[in-house]
Each structure stands twice: as structure tokens, then as C-alpha cells.
Amino acid sequence: MQAIIEALKDSSPAVQALGVSVGGIIGVFTTLAAFFLLIWGGTRIGRR
Amino acid sequence: MSDVFIGFSSVGWREAVMYLVGFALIWLAIKKEYEPMLLLPIGFGAILVNLPLSVVWEHEGAAGFLKVLYDGGIANELFPVLIFIAVGAMIDFGPLFKNPFMIFFGAAAQLGIFATMIIATLPPFNFSLKEAASIGIIGAADGPTAIYVANKFARDLLGPISVAAYSYMALVPMIQPPVIRLLTTQRERRIHMTYHDADVPRWLKVSFPVVVTVIAGFVAPISVPLVGSLMFGNLIRESGVLERLSKTAQNELAYLVTLLLGITIGSSMSAEKFLNIRTLSILAMGLVAFVVDTAGGVLFAKLVNVFLPEDRKINPMIGGCGISAFPMSARVVQKMAAAEERGNIILMHAIGANVSGQLGSIIAGGMILALVPLLAG
């Protein structure tokens, strides 16, 4: 991970933006997936 | 003698144009009722700050009242955070709890933020990464997040970014329908979705804001002021024991801070900062962000449909509601569904996706706040 960050630091702003975008999209989906599991699990437990 | 006429001699054509911009915003607020609570104070603030000598901002070394408000509410990010407490108190996550899969549309419809950020760094725009990130966040369709990020990364662009964010939110009924129609067939727009009105346990509604804040705190610690204030407002609402505080947050707090926020943003629109080609390009890219957001949500819904059986397909218009413009986007999509086929009610699903957009936009803002400094220092 650190190697990717170091490589991106020396890249053009467009490549850096691409890197932020990939990381950002993964981060948003992963975080909301955690919220999904929280709600899904919570409603399942609630039904029992 | 010249001092007597200093009011006339100290303004030029640029200031005159800014008066027109201010009048245009006030006209849109009053005549068209586009986000009047924000566009009216922004318009008036834009006129105030461009009046001769800019006394409301600074005069003879002393800060004017708008600079005091700016330093005390925008520069330290207090106003966006207070707005989030109010918004959190207004949000009912109930429809999302009843159909939790809708949360993924809140992620897919953030695509415009990132696509616009990349575009802004390319020629002929050539914005720096921090500026591009601030422009991309217009696609969050969420004024406080846009202000928060722009204030951190590109304070000089705060005026145009705020105006673009709020203007396009007001224009959602015009921006989204053509994009949705272009990407969907009539058959898809007529898909019915059944809604199961199951009870949501109270403990889940109460613990959700707390757990979400903790998760966000670990995933993107820098997003905690945004997520934490939104969820604090929601906890006040769902606790059931702070009804007066909840109503105060939803009404008095929301109205007062919105009023101050609007006029203070207007004060950042001085002619020298606002009137340049960069402003025009920011306004154009803001529109691109909203269009790509909508397209991202709709196309994600179509992708999900590939894997779903015929009787459980999702109306892809729901995907467009993953943007954060709440509840306008959900209303727009319901209206489109009803226009396609009378009696087709997808409102609750649309609201579920729409509140997910609120979550998605602040998480996206948090990701940008966390990732951009790693590369741009």
C-alpha cells in the first residue's frame, strides 16, 4: 500500500485523481456494505 | 471632494456583474422557488460584499459582520456541522431498514464525485488535486459536505462550489429525468416493486447512529465531524426521550444556521474571486457531477437486475435516488414512475435509496478528505 502511495505522489494530478477515485469508490462501497450488514443482521435478530 | 464620491468611483464592471448575479439568485429563489432558504441569502450576501469599500467584509483594518460570521462559522466548519445535526434529526432511516439493499445505491450514485474530480485535473481545466476534489464533491449533492471539503482544500473556490452545489440540488427535477429516460427503457421504468412494511426494532433505530459513527470513525477518522454530527441529530430523533430537542434541531437550529450559512457563503463571492473562467468551468463540472451520479445509480440498478429473478427486479429509476438530494430525488422518481404507469408506487424504495445517498455522500466526502492529503500533502 505504501509503495502505491509513494508512486502516486510522483504522478500527475490526473493519475492521482484516478488513484483517489479507485480508493474512494472501494471505501464508500465497503463502508456502506458494513452498514448493510448491520441493518440486515439487526432486523434478522429483531424478528426472532 | 473625491472622498464624497468614493462609493461611485470604487466599483467597476465586475462589481456590477456581481450585483446581477446576486439579483439573479434572489429572483430564482423568489420567482422559481429554487432552494429559497439558501439562494436568497446567498444572492443578498453577494450584493453586500461587492458594494463600495466592502464594509461588510473589512474596513480600515476592522472585520465587518460577514467576515466575523465567515471566521466563526465557515472557516472553522461550525455551520456545516450544525446543519448536519439538523439534517440528522430530520432523517427517518425506516424505509432503508425495511429494504437495506437500497444502501448500495447510495454508494453507486457517488460516481459523479470521482469522475468529475478526474475531469477537473485534465486539460484544459488543469486544477490541482485538492481543487479538483473540491469541485468533484459538488456531486455529493449535499451542500454542507461540499462546503466542508472545499473549505479544507480550496477556500478560494468556496463561493462557486457552494452556489453550484445548492443550485443543482434545486434543479434536480430538471437534471435527473432526462438522464434516467436516456438510460432506461419504458419497460424498465414500469417495473413494480413490492414493499414489505415490517416493524423495525427500536433498539436497531437507536443503536444505528451510534454504530455507524463508530464504524466511520475507524474507516475514515477524518469524516467523524460530518458523520458524527449527522448521526448525533438522528440519535436525538430516535431516542424518543428528546422530542423537544429533536424538534428544535429540525426547525430553529436548521433555519437559523441556514440563514447565516447562506449570507456568509454569499460574502465569499467577491468579484475578484468569482468572476473568472474557472468559476464557469466549476459550474459546468458541477452539472457533469450530478449527471454522472444519476447515471451511476441507474446503471448499477440495471447491473443488479441482471442477477435477479424476473419477479424481484428493481425499477432502475430507484438508482438515481442514490444521490443525496433528499427528498427531492425520491419525489422526482416517484412522479416519473406514476407518469409511466398510473398506480406504480415505488416511493418508499426511492426514499430508502435517497437516505442512503445522505450516508454515501458524507462517506465519500470522508474518503476524499482522507485520501487526497496522502498524495497532495
Side-chain angles (χ1 to χ4, degrees):
Chain A
M1 181 62 87
Q2 198 57 37
I4 296 171
I5 291 170
E6 290 303 321
L8 282 171
K9 272 184 184 172
D10 299 327
S11 306
S12 68
V15 177
Q16 289 180 337
L18 189 64
V20 171
S21 297
V22 172
I25 290 169
I26 292 170
V28 174
F29 267 97
T30 309
T31 310
L32 293 193
F35 297 167
F36 168 79
L37 290 175
L38 172 70
I39 298 168
W40 181 78
T43 46
R44 285 261 160 153
I45 294 166
R47 276 182 208 151
R48 285 181 187 172
Chain B
M1 188 63 181
S2 62
D3 286 352
V4 176
F5 297 106
I6 195 162
F8 293 97
S9 60
S10 62
V11 296
W13 68 269
R14 287 172 172 272
E15 284 74 19
V17 171
M18 289 312 296
Y19 301 152
L20 290 177
V21 171
F23 284 128
L25 292 174
I26 293 171
W27 181 81
L28 285 172
I30 296 172
K31 192 74 180 170
K32 299 285 181 183
E33 294 189 28
Y34 290 162
E35 296 275 346
M37 290 214 311
L38 278 153
L39 291 193
L40 190 145
I42 290 175
F44 197 73
I47 294 172
L48 277 179
V49 81
N50 288 291
L51 286 172
L53 305 182
S54 243
V55 179
V56 292
W57 185 255
E58 198 170 44
H59 186 55
E60 294 180 347
F65 85 97
L66 288 183
K67 188 165 192 306
V68 171
L69 282 176
Y70 186 91
D71 290 341
I74 302 275
N76 60 11
E77 290 129 18
L78 179 65
F79 287 167
V81 164
L82 290 177
I83 287 279
F84 266 126
I85 294 176
V87 172
M90 291 178 203
I91 294 180
D92 176 10
F93 286 109
L96 175 63
F97 291 154
K98 288 167 189 169
N99 191 357
F101 188 78
M102 292 294 122
I103 205 162
F104 292 107
F105 296 116
Q110 308 308 321
L111 190 67
I113 296 175
F114 300 105
T116 308
M117 179 172 64
I118 295 169
I119 292 169
T121 58
L122 298 172
F125 308 113
N126 295 318
F127 284 98
S128 70
L129 182 62
K130 285 187 171 178
E131 290 171 333
S134 305
I135 295 165
I137 207 73
I138 294 171
D142 176 350
T145 302
I147 293 167
Y148 194 90
V149 173
N151 195 48
K152 289 255 187 226
F153 289 160
R155 211 169 265 187
D156 281 351
L157 304 181
L158 185 62
I161 286 172
S162 310
V163 170
Y166 282 111
S167 305
Y168 292 136
M169 274 162 63
L171 294 173
V172 157
M174 279 182 246
I175 297 171
Q176 287 207 301
V179 180
I180 292 172
R181 272 193 214 102
L182 188 71
L183 295 173
T184 54
T185 62
Q186 190 179 55
R187 188 165 168 267
E188 286 173 325
R189 294 194 294 273
R190 287 184 170 179
I191 291 175
H192 286 243
M193 294 173 73
T194 47
Y195 182 69
H196 303 289
D197 198 9
D199 282 338
V200 177
R202 184 160 174 265
W203 66 264
L204 180 59
K205 284 186 164 187
V206 174
S207 56
F208 183 72
V210 180
V211 179
V212 162
T213 306
V214 172
I215 292 173
F218 279 94
V219 174
I222 202 162
S223 71
V224 167
L226 296 175
V227 181
S229 53
L230 185 82
M231 290 299 148
F232 172 57
N234 193 248
L235 180 61
I236 290 173
R237 175 198 175 95
E238 298 298 348
S239 68
V241 293
L242 295 171
E243 199 174 329
R244 279 191 197 172
L245 279 190
S246 173
K247 289 215 164 89
T248 302
Q250 292 179 45
N251 295 291
E252 286 84 355
L253 180 67
Y255 293 137
L256 186 62
V257 181
T258 302
L259 177 85
L260 297 177
L261 182 74
I263 198 163
T264 313
I265 289 168
S267 74
S268 67
M269 293 166 65
S270 62
E272 61 189 44
K273 282 186 197 164
F274 197 83
L275 280 187
N276 51 56
I277 196 75
R278 284 158 67 95
T279 298
L280 288 177
S281 58
I282 289 168
L283 295 176
M285 282 187 279
L287 180 60
V288 170
F290 270 65
V291 169
V292 179
D293 275 346
T294 307
V298 171
L299 293 175
F300 181 70
K302 289 173 71 123
L303 176 69
V304 171
N305 274 346
V306 173
F307 303 99
L308 291 177
E310 198 60 38
D311 60 332
R312 292 187 60 197
K313 296 253 191 245
I314 294 167
N315 188 318
M317 292 197 293
I318 296 283
C321 299
I323 70 166
S324 178
F326 176 81
M328 202 183 294
S329 185
R331 283 187 196 147
V332 167
V333 162
Q334 172 54 46
K335 205 173 161 189
M336 288 181 73
E340 289 292 342
E341 191 176 344
R342 216 171 152 187
N344 189 6
I345 297 168
I346 55 171
L347 183 64
M348 296 312 282
H349 299 284
I351 288 177
N354 216 176
V355 295
S356 305
Q358 287 275 338
L359 290 173
S361 68
I362 50 175
I363 297 298
M367 289 296 156
I368 282 179
L369 286 169
L371 295 172
V372 168
L374 289 179
L375 305 181

